[in-house]
Amino acid sequence: MAPTTKESPAFDPKDVTVVFVLGGPGAGKGTQCAKLVSGHGFSHLSAGDLLRAEQQREGSEYGDLIREYIKDGKIVPSEVTINLLKNAMRDILTQAGKTTGRFLIDGFPRKMDQAHSFEEIVCPAKLVLFFDCPENVMEERLLERGKTSGRSDDNADSIRKRFKTFVETSMPVIDYYEKEGKVVKIDATQSPDAVYAKTEELLSQRLGAGF
Ligand SMILES: Nc1ncnc2c1ncn2[C@@H]1O[C@H](COP(=O)(O)OP(=O)(O)OP(=O)(O)O)[C@@H](O)[C@H]1O
Ligand SMILES: O=c1ccn([C@@H]2O[C@H](COP(=O)(O)O)[C@@H](O)[C@H]2O)c(=O)[nH]1
Ligand SMILES: [Mg+2]
């Protein structure tokens, strides 16, 4: 019998830098990613945004499944999200005519199987930014955002379920990367600018000045 061969990841970490951006619901991941895009030229991919776009895509076979999972704060099966991320990364590089790039992967991985699969199939991660924020602060932010976001999960019932998923399923991912020495933890309770200043300071230490 032929030996089973493991396929290489789609992207070589020598060419592609992946930074996972984690934190509880409403911790400010998207807000900080936007600042890092304009300040440091990263490409930003939010797994949640990609899933919402796929949910709305006409003809998607996953539309109903994604809708239900998001409302209940559950994690959509890994293959779906990983494929969306891999395709989006490829599209960004192709459109830029480049083989190298730096990606902020926001709100992913949220479960250990996603972390292992992404690193095997797509690209090993260099760092994990962890925006640390207590639930009462995140809840206040999400309820405020819910007044205008139109998101089906920015309501008290879904928020409670999202917090439960974060604690039970996503915190172990952060603990895993902490043991790998890859986590950069940032207090996310301050103003957006203060959180960003700290993020820049800590990223400079890990990636080099000006990164
Ligand atoms: N440091 C901050 N201080 C106060 N409000 C903030 C801060 N950062 C973000 N916000 C606000 O909190 C809300 C949630 O922020 P954001 O969308 O960036 O969080 P997120 O972590 O991406 O959330 P989700 O997990 O739901 O995608 C937004 O309305 C945003 O404007
Ligand atoms: O890898 C992922 C990322 C997200 N989801 C689902 O989407 C929602 C919203 O994610 P945000 O990061 O808050 O935009 C999340 O609660 C999950 O239901 C996912 O399944 N897998
Ligand atoms: Mg977000």
Side-chain angles (χ1 to χ4, degrees), residues 29-30 46 106 145 151:
K29 301 179 291 298
S46 153
D106 165 3
R145 189 180 69 182
R151 277 182 55 158

Side-chain angles (χ1 to χ4, degrees), residues 24-31 106 110 141-142 145 151 162 188 190-192 195:
K29 301 179 291 298
T31 301
D106 165 3
R110 282 168 131 98
R141 289 180 186 174
L142 291 174
R145 189 180 69 182
R151 277 182 55 158
R162 292 161 72 193
Q190 305 303 306
S191 70
V195 175

Side-chain angles (χ1 to χ4, degrees), residues 90 92-101:
R90 207 180 284 293
I92 286 171
L93 292 178
T94 305
Q95 274 164 30
K98 288 185 172 174
T99 52
T100 62

Side-chain angles (χ1 to χ4, degrees), residues 109-195:
R110 282 168 131 98
K111 203 173 177 178
M112 272 318 301
D113 74 308
Q114 289 184 325
H116 293 314
S117 300
F118 184 93
E119 298 215 30
E120 272 171 36
I121 299 168
V122 186
C123 188
K126 186 169 184 77
L127 281 181
V128 176
L129 279 178
F130 169 38
F131 292 103
D132 188 26
C133 199
E135 281 189 7
N136 63 319
V137 175
M138 297 193 289
E139 182 182 31
E140 197 180 323
R141 289 180 186 174
L142 291 174
L143 290 173
E144 184 60 32
R145 189 180 69 182
K147 292 176 185 168
T148 54
S149 69
R151 277 182 55 158
S152 63
D153 57 352
D154 278 350
N155 59 77
D157 188 41
S158 293
I159 290 169
R160 186 174 42 77
K161 293 175 180 171
R162 292 161 72 193
F163 284 169
K164 188 169 186 297
T165 301
F166 177 69
V167 171
E168 292 178 355
T169 312
S170 306
M171 269 312 295
V173 176
I174 295 162
D175 294 341
Y176 166 80
Y177 282 115
E178 181 74 58
K179 291 194 188 96
E180 298 266 294
K182 288 188 175 177
V183 172
V184 175
K185 181 174 168 178
I186 296 144
D187 172 6
T189 59
Q190 305 303 306
S191 70
D193 283 347
V195 175

Side-chain angles (χ1 to χ4, degrees), residues 25-26 29 46-49 51-52 66 69-77 81 85 106-110 114 145 151 153 162:
K29 301 179 291 298
S46 153
D49 286 350
L51 287 166
R52 282 182 283 275
I66 294 172
Y69 272 68
I70 286 184
K71 190 165 61 59
D72 287 340
K74 292 189 303 189
I75 313 295
V76 171
T81 315
L85 285 167
D106 165 3
F108 178 96
R110 282 168 131 98
Q114 289 184 325
R145 189 180 69 182
R151 277 182 55 158
D153 57 352
R162 292 161 72 193

